[in-house]
Amino acid sequence: MDAARPDDSRGPQENLTEAKGAPERPALDREALSDANFLAATGIAQLTVVDTTGSTNADLLQAVTADPKAWPDLAVLTAEHQTAARGRLDRAWEAPARSSVLVSLVLRPVNADGRPLSTQTYSWLSLLAAVALRDALDETARIPADLKWPNDVLVRGGKIAGILAQLGPMGDGSVPPVILGTGLNVTLTEDELPVPTATSVQLQGAETVDRTALLKSYLSRFCTLYRSFCNADGDATAGLAGGPSLHKRVETAMVTLGQQVRAQLPGDHEIIGHASRLDDSGSLLVVDASAHEHVVTAGDVVHLRPWSPQDPGKHSTGTHSSAKDSSDKQGSGESGYA
């Protein structure tokens, strides 16, 4: 595949039927996705569909390095099949072809005057995507979804989607782009789930499992929220698209808040405590058993069963053995992105 221009082969799009008993999995409707009215309404600069790739995020990172001008803001790459998707804690896994929505976007955030947003606002972009996907699942598939910090979308406690934002190269000294990838489990059966705590749109009894409709719904909502966020200079406390602020939308939908959690941090460190709120940058604030507040900017979070600092064998930042036993592993399943 040419790094600067992924293959958008448009051969016959026959239906794909897997092994006996597996669901029929139609290809994405490329004509609908390339419809000029849809692209104009969303502001999508270009939308490329490929049959198979290792990772759409990896492809775009390579592409924006090789030819930055060919990949403007809101350039989209989506694949029918990924063979090297990144999952939780960099674990690799592979879902059946045409069973998921696998999409990455190039983001070059600027405000209404064309001034680049501060890179400090970039931490909100994956949360913005999670809000957009939650809305799409609610309004298009008619299934309720919640958010789990930092980048998971859950339905009834099972992980249905993951989102991964990666910083692109600086290039000629300009503000680096963000590559934002989303993986949504759509028609995976119970036998195809990577772990029992994952789920899919189909398993949740959704009104539709049409991947084209789900992808268009997600992209439409993301682009609306993204443009509003950019026009507000990346201020997460400003009203967004005629409604509540991004900060408020995230906190309202995030089931992590108010829970006891174990935050697994880079460098093999962990913090156990009460997830109290999000700060102005979208970081998670965790209060430990000694009432010390920690700012968690990156890491993996596991929801724990409630505990009290007065309980025998109480959890603290110094002893963690019983914390793993108390985990309910909510949302610890895999999707196409971490």
Side-chain angles (χ1 to χ4, degrees), residues 3-306:
R5 179 62 54 185
D7 178 20
D8 61 350
S9 172
R10 296 173 182 267
Q13 298 301 306
E14 74 283 356
N15 284 351
L16 178 68
T17 303
E18 305 280 350
K20 185 177 180 180
E24 186 177 79
R25 291 178 167 131
L28 290 168
D29 185 339
R30 301 190 185 202
E31 184 176 348
L33 291 171
S34 62
D35 177 72
N37 292 329
F38 169 66
L39 298 180
T42 56
I44 291 173
Q46 61 195 49
L47 194 155
T48 304
V49 183
V50 297
D51 290 327
T52 186
T53 189
S55 161
T56 54
N57 257 34
D59 285 352
L60 285 185
L61 282 169
Q62 186 176 8
V64 298
T65 301
D67 190 1
K69 293 182 179 178
W71 296 92
D73 186 41
L74 290 177
V76 178
L77 175 64
T78 185
E80 299 280 20
H81 183 216
Q82 283 189 148
T83 59
R86 282 184 58 185
R88 183 177 299 277
L89 302 180
D90 274 344
R91 290 195 295 263
W93 74 282
E94 182 178 351
R98 302 181 186 173
S99 66
S100 307
V101 167
L102 306 164
V103 62
S104 295
L105 299 91
V106 177
L107 304 178
R108 302 179 184 274
V110 297
N111 67 10
D113 297 325
R115 186 175 66 252
L117 267 58
S118 166
T119 55
Q120 294 180 341
T121 68
Y122 285 12
S123 57
W124 283 101
L125 293 173
S126 59
L127 293 169
L128 187 149
V131 169
L133 184 57
R134 175 181 183 262
D135 291 347
L137 290 172
D138 178 49
E139 297 169 24
T140 303
R142 302 296 181 186
I143 54 177
D146 299 304
L147 309 186
K148 175 176 175 285
W149 196 92
N151 54 7
D152 292 348
V153 179
L154 313 180
V155 174
R156 301 181 180 98
K159 180 174 174 180
I160 201 167
I163 296 165
L164 176 65
Q166 296 177 278
L167 200 62
M170 294 293 290
D172 58 0
S174 61
V175 177
V178 174
I179 308 302
L180 183 74
T182 300
L184 171 67
N185 302 330
V186 180
T187 59
L188 272 71
T189 65
E190 287 190 14
D191 291 340
E192 293 170 333
L193 294 175
V195 291
T197 47
T199 190
S200 71
V201 175
Q202 179 168 278
L203 289 173
Q204 291 298 323
E207 189 169 289
T208 182
V209 292
D210 183 333
R211 291 184 305 126
T212 301
L214 292 168
L215 177 56
K216 290 183 67 176
S217 179
Y218 166 59
L219 290 175
S220 296
R221 285 161 177 78
F222 175 83
C223 291
T224 297
L225 295 177
Y226 171 69
R227 184 49 55 207
S228 182
F229 178 72
C230 289
N231 288 343
D233 281 318
D235 182 0
T237 65
L240 199 64
S245 69
L246 179 57
H247 195 290
K248 179 63 67 177
R249 294 181 195 221
V250 171
E251 285 200 329
T252 299
M254 183 162 287
V255 293
T256 303
L257 299 180
Q259 295 219 31
Q260 302 298 328
V261 301
R262 181 174 69 250
Q264 300 169 323
L265 310 179
D268 201 28
H269 300 295
E270 62 180 38
I271 297 168
I272 296 176
H274 177 82
S276 60
R277 60 189 177 91
L278 300 179
D279 70 8
D280 291 344
S281 66
S283 298
L284 183 68
L285 301 184
V286 177
V287 180
D288 66 22
S290 61
H292 180 72
E293 187 175 69
H294 302 262
V295 180
V296 181
T297 59
D300 188 47
V301 168
V302 177
H303 295 173
L304 306 176
R305 295 193 184 98

